[in-house]
Amino acid sequence: MTILVTGGLGYIGSHTVVELLNNDFEVVIVDDLSNSERFILNNIQEITGKKPVFYPFDLRRKELLAQVFDAHQIDGCINFAASKAVGESQLKPVDYYENNLFSLINILQEFKTREISNFIFSSSCTVYGQADVMPIDENAPLKMPESVYGKTKQMGEQILIDFAKAYHRKISVLRYFNPIGAHPSGKLGELPIGVPDNLVPYVMQTAAGIREKLSIWGDNYPTQDGTAVRDYIYVVDLAKAHVAALKKLIEDTSAEAVVDTYNLGTGKGSSVLEVVKAFEKANNVEVPYKICSRREGDITIAYANPEKAERELNWKSETSLEESLRTVWEWQKYLNARNS
Ligand code: NAD
Ligand code: WQD
């Protein structure tokens, strides 16, 4: 079976491509390299011994996308391609709506006319905002996210529900909590382009001396140590969930519309300070930090109830926080060696 993976050279996409190839899927990647680099393709090949087909173009180029569907018998799609920087999305709302929604719609147009099913969408726990009840299950009320980025995810989900219903297609919406870590080979990871917004890349760069000090945004939250709590999920575990979700869609041969929604997390909340301490312990390095005021738009606490994914996909996260953070340091060493 041939799976189109958009954004397949990005952080989560590249790890998922490896898992797909390891599970004998054929993979066709479309990625415009707007937030990734070409060497990742070679590294995927080094890890798996297989080379996916790669098309470097922007999914907003409808005519090029149609050519990909003409050239390959596509059986499904995992759509990672999107712009994902929360802060930037506030400054460039139209660009975010255009990239994240037009890319999605262009693929769905091809799916519609060619009668293809099996579509997996990268959504986010951001669609829950600050949920009232922990852990968060899939029935928790959705709250309109504050960020434009978050809104594109909520809108994307809605577009897919309408698409599935109207054309009787099978969709899986995967709501990731906070993905972290790198491939155990040390050859895939999150590429730090510019100053990182996210916690773990910033911790990694601080430990490496690229940043002077980590700013911890707030220590007066009502949590175990006053710092905010999130559910950090190892990226390889997350990648495996995509294969499980895809197999479930493929195995379902009914002609009914399907919209499966899963929360993908560990089920455990960790505070910012706990992450810093775990990183220091895992890698025997120091992470200098200072306490600053809260970051605008941040929520206090979010962690998943991943039981639905365990029950229906036979998937659960397996890797500890410390082990995930060890892979992050290996990735930093790889980047250091590449840059030297
Ligand atoms: P990433 O930026 O590393 O990967 C996205 C890839 O898509 C990049 O390689 C980029 O070059 C490509 N891309 C973007 N726009 C494109 C376009 N118009 N045409 C072709 N390629 C395009 O991001 P990631 O962290 O791997 O995230 C993957 C998906 O998961 C995104 O949809 C993101 O919103 C979602 N998500 C990420 C997180 C996270 O914290 N990383 C959390 C929840 C959801
Ligand atoms: C985690 C915690 C920060 C950086 C974002 C998106 C969300 C989803 C995941 C895509 C928070 C604290 C961070 C730093 C810090 N992405 N922090 N100092 O905010 O949970 O979610 O990424 O869908 O949509 O909003 O992740 O990694 O930015 O922050 O103290 O330098 O670390 O305040 O409590 P977040 P994050």
Side-chain angles (χ1 to χ4, degrees):
M1 284 210 152
T2 303
I3 306 302
L4 172 65
V5 182
T6 74
L9 296 189
Y11 173 44
I12 306 167
S14 57
H15 288 83
T16 304
V17 167
V18 166
E19 296 306 319
L20 287 168
L21 293 172
N22 287 342
N23 278 272
D24 294 327
F25 286 97
E26 306 282 322
V27 174
V28 174
I29 296 174
V30 175
D31 194 308
D32 66 357
L33 300 168
S34 56
N35 201 33
S36 52
E37 290 190 33
R38 206 177 262 269
F39 77 87
I40 293 295
L41 187 65
N42 296 331
N43 289 6
I44 290 172
Q45 192 178 2
E46 280 178 28
I47 293 166
T48 62
K50 298 175 187 171
K51 190 169 186 166
V53 179
F54 172 50
Y55 293 98
F57 69 84
D58 187 326
L59 287 157
R60 288 170 289 183
R61 304 274 307 273
K62 285 174 91 154
E63 70 291 356
L64 295 181
L65 188 59
Q67 285 171 19
V68 172
F69 280 86
D70 286 341
H72 303 273
Q73 177 71 48
I74 302 290
D75 299 295
C77 172
I78 308 183
N79 182 34
F80 293 103
S83 306
K84 64 164 181 177
V86 172
E88 186 185 57
S89 76
Q90 301 302 89
L91 303 172
K92 298 180 175 174
V94 178
D95 297 338
Y96 268 66
Y97 286 122
E98 181 185 311
N99 195 36
N100 294 4
L101 297 180
F102 284 17
S103 297
L104 170 64
I105 288 168
N106 288 348
I107 305 165
L108 294 183
Q109 289 286 12
E110 294 298 332
F111 264 54
K112 185 189 80 182
T113 46
R114 295 169 198 260
E115 300 285 330
I116 308 170
S117 204
N118 307 323
F119 191 95
I120 296 186
F121 181 62
S122 298
S123 190
S124 164
C125 63
T126 192
V127 299
Y128 297 114
Q130 178 58 71
D132 299 325
V133 179
M134 292 299 135
I136 305 171
D137 70 28
E138 292 79 1
N139 296 320
L142 302 187
K143 294 181 182 161
M144 185 51 87
E146 277 190 34
S147 74
V148 170
Y149 164 76
K151 287 176 188 151
T152 68
K153 291 296 165 192
Q154 211 173 93
M155 290 174 190
E157 288 196 9
Q158 192 54 57
I159 290 168
L160 282 162
I161 291 168
D162 294 335
F163 172 80
K165 275 194 203 146
Y167 305 110
H168 311 286
R169 304 302 164 88
K170 292 176 284 168
I171 308 287
S172 203
V173 169
L174 304 183
R175 294 179 180 149
Y176 316 150
F177 280 64
N178 291 57
I180 59 162
H183 196 265
S185 63
K187 291 181 178 175
L188 303 176
E190 192 163 9
L191 276 178
I193 297 175
V195 182
D197 269 341
N198 293 120
L199 177 63
V200 170
Y202 208 104
V203 166
M204 172 178 99
Q205 293 196 355
T206 307
I210 301 168
R211 312 278 157 209
E212 202 187 329
K213 263 186 190 166
L214 168 74
S215 299
I216 294 187
W217 307 124
D219 69 346
N220 58 355
Y221 284 103
T223 60
Q224 53 263 45
D225 56 26
T227 63
V229 167
R230 300 288 187 272
D231 186 339
Y232 296 93
I233 167 91
Y234 181 48
V235 67
V236 175
D237 290 343
L238 187 62
K240 288 179 178 165
H242 291 73
V243 177
L246 181 65
K247 285 184 175 170
K248 178 169 183 285
L249 293 182
I250 291 169
E251 278 160 18
D252 181 344
T253 51
S254 74
E256 301 297 310
V258 172
V259 181
D260 286 335
T261 302
Y262 298 105
N263 284 351
L264 299 180
T266 65
K268 184 175 178 295
S270 304
S271 74
V272 177
L273 270 174
E274 284 169 350
V275 171
V276 171
K277 297 293 161 211
F279 189 94
E280 291 183 325
K281 186 163 172 236
N283 300 307
N284 200 20
V285 289
E286 219 186 310
V287 180
Y289 66 84
K290 57 182 178 195
I291 304 292
C292 302
S293 48
R294 291 182 181 191
R295 184 171 70 176
E296 205 188 316
D298 267 358
I299 55 169
T300 303
I301 181 165
Y303 57 92
N305 178 343
E307 280 170 14
K308 186 179 175 200
E310 189 173 345
R311 208 171 47 242
E312 295 188 10
L313 300 179
N314 198 20
W315 170 90
K316 66 176 180 186
S317 107
E318 289 170 345
T319 311
S320 70
L321 179 63
E322 239 179 85
E323 187 51 38
S324 312
L325 293 171
R326 242 191 298 277
T327 64
V328 172
W329 196 230
E330 289 306 311
W331 171 239
Q332 179 61 50
K333 287 188 208 159
Y334 174 82
L335 292 175
N336 289 344
R338 246 186 84 79
N339 295 334
S340 66

